[in-house]
Amino acid sequence: MLPIPLKVSILVETESQRDTLRNLVLNSGHRVSQALLVDDHLEQLGTKGCVDIDVWLVKVDTDSQRYTEVEDWLLNLEEPVLVDDLDDETATDNDRQLWRRRVSDKLHLLQGSINLDQDTHAAAKFIWVLGASTGGPEAVKEFFRHLPDRLKVGFVYVQHIDPGFENTLADIVNKHSHYPAYPVMHGDVLRENGTAIIANDNCVEVQENGTLSTSPGPWPGAYSPSIDQVFANVARRYGKRCGVIVFSGMASDGAVGVRLVHQQGGQVWVQSPSSCTISSMPDSALDTGVVSVIASPEGLAAKLTDFMLYEVRDYCD
């Protein structure tokens, strides 16, 4: 299920504010249903059914002469409302940058909630993150090949790859897996019985409701995509309802993240070094002392099957 853009209506006091918020909405991947000025359109706001709206984005100064009328209207709205709290006169460039991110994140969370309402079975309640580098695609392919279907788990696959290779990686997974792979888009939901492929050109975060937020710019740290970053982000959101597996790879990405996964109560497993093309990543994870399962890709699939079918309920109670 692809994320559906929000239909946003804007209410502001000036044309400049209208243009700023319209651009923000469009740049966040949503649609502007209407963009209204308070003085020209306040009488229209009580009209029902004329415009399809998911959310109102409102910027009206509390000192405005018409604020009382606007406030009365807000109290009777059925649609959710986001109020722009940026002080135009005192805001610095940094304030504006943080404000843009804040509003975009709020729109994104609402978008995810609407997506989830439309398909309540879409969101995975238990997440496993697969981290890999050199030798990873072959190992992960073997892992999926031995995994039965419908384990009621969502997978996130983080592979050190070149830009644009995520679609090829999804094709590889789909040929050998019961868990359909999809390159992550802004607003996607972590899907039960699906595999989210993390690309390296946009930083990806998991939001509170299980939706995925992408933002342009480099990943933090030395690796792209950052396995440490994804491990940590999923652990903070899912706690003991997540697990991670470190597969074949060079260097040490993931070794920091597995500690946080363990601290939050999640499972930390690794591919056995003897079965890896390059074992540096599993070795680095093992050095942390928090790994509970070491096995070949086939063995990891068998262990995960048993865990999800027989252990996970007791583990999460």
Side-chain angles (χ1 to χ4, degrees):
M1 180 182 69
L2 294 176
I4 301 172
L6 293 175
K7 297 176 287 291
V8 183
S9 283
I10 296 169
L11 179 67
V12 294
E13 293 182 281
T14 69
E15 292 183 359
S16 175
Q17 293 169 345
R18 181 175 62 187
D19 292 342
T20 297
L21 291 181
R22 180 190 283 122
N23 289 335
L24 176 60
V25 169
L26 295 175
N27 289 336
S28 298
H30 304 291
R31 300 203 302 256
V32 176
S33 294
Q34 56 187 357
L36 309 178
L37 298 178
V38 171
D39 287 342
D40 295 340
H41 297 282
L42 188 57
E43 290 77 11
Q44 296 178 216
L45 300 180
T47 305
K48 297 288 185 181
C50 57
V51 178
D52 191 9
I53 299 168
D54 289 319
V55 58
W56 280 92
L57 183 52
V58 176
K59 184 177 181 62
V60 179
D61 196 316
T62 54
D63 294 329
S64 168
Q65 293 181 351
R66 307 202 70 174
Y67 181 75
T68 300
E69 296 174 76
V70 173
E71 187 175 37
D72 290 341
W73 164 75
L74 289 173
L75 292 174
N76 292 301
L77 276 180
E78 296 178 359
E79 300 87 6
V81 178
L82 300 180
V83 177
D84 176 4
D85 57 358
L86 183 71
D87 188 332
D88 293 326
E89 295 183 359
T90 63
T92 64
D93 289 342
N94 185 59
D95 291 334
R96 291 186 176 87
Q97 182 177 355
L98 292 174
W99 163 79
R100 284 191 291 270
R101 179 63 185 270
R102 185 166 63 248
V103 174
S104 181
D105 283 349
K106 288 179 179 178
L107 289 172
H108 172 63
L109 285 172
L110 179 61
Q111 178 189 28
S113 296
I114 291 174
N115 288 340
L116 293 175
D117 286 341
Q118 293 174 343
D119 186 355
T120 56
H121 300 293
K125 295 179 175 60
F126 207 103
I127 298 295
W128 280 82
V129 186
L130 315 178
S133 183
T134 306
E138 186 63 32
V140 172
K141 180 178 72 176
E142 188 70 6
F143 167 77
F144 274 124
R145 195 168 69 85
H146 288 90
L147 205 63
D149 63 353
R150 301 184 183 278
L151 286 180
K152 295 185 177 181
V153 58
F155 290 102
V156 179
Y157 183 11
V158 195
Q159 170 75 43
H160 292 165
I161 53 174
D162 294 329
F165 191 67
E166 59 272 10
N167 288 305
T168 301
L169 197 61
D171 290 341
I172 292 172
V173 172
N174 286 331
K175 289 178 181 178
H176 302 276
S177 171
H178 299 291
Y179 299 85
Y182 54 100
V184 165
M185 296 174 58
H186 185 77
D188 258 326
V189 175
L190 286 178
R191 309 171 198 172
E192 185 174 279
N193 298 321
T195 305
I197 305 292
I198 303 293
N200 76 352
D201 52 353
N202 288 307
C203 191
V204 177
E205 293 183 8
V206 181
Q207 301 293 334
E208 294 176 0
N209 59 358
T211 56
L212 295 160
S213 173
T214 66
S215 57
W219 287 80
Y223 305 103
S224 183
S226 171
I227 297 171
D228 275 325
Q229 179 78 8
V230 177
F231 280 3
N233 191 218
V234 170
R236 283 192 293 266
R237 300 304 188 196
Y238 283 83
K240 62 183 180 180
R241 294 186 179 275
C242 79
V244 300
I245 303 177
V246 180
F247 286 92
S248 175
M250 188 180 295
S252 61
D253 196 13
V256 174
V258 298
R259 292 186 176 92
L260 183 57
V261 173
H262 178 71
Q263 290 171 4
Q264 297 296 320
Q267 294 283 303
V268 179
W269 301 0
V270 301
Q271 180 181 352
S272 57
S274 61
S275 67
C276 292
T277 302
I278 295 180
S279 65
S280 299
M281 277 176 42
D283 287 337
S284 296
L286 284 166
D287 288 343
T288 66
V290 301
V291 174
S292 58
V293 172
I294 308 167
S296 66
E298 181 179 355
L300 289 167
K303 177 61 179 175
L304 182 59
T305 301
D306 289 342
F307 182 83
M308 293 305 302
L309 291 178
Y310 306 115
E311 301 178 41
V312 69
R313 292 180 181 177
D314 293 337
Y315 177 71
C316 290
D317 286 343

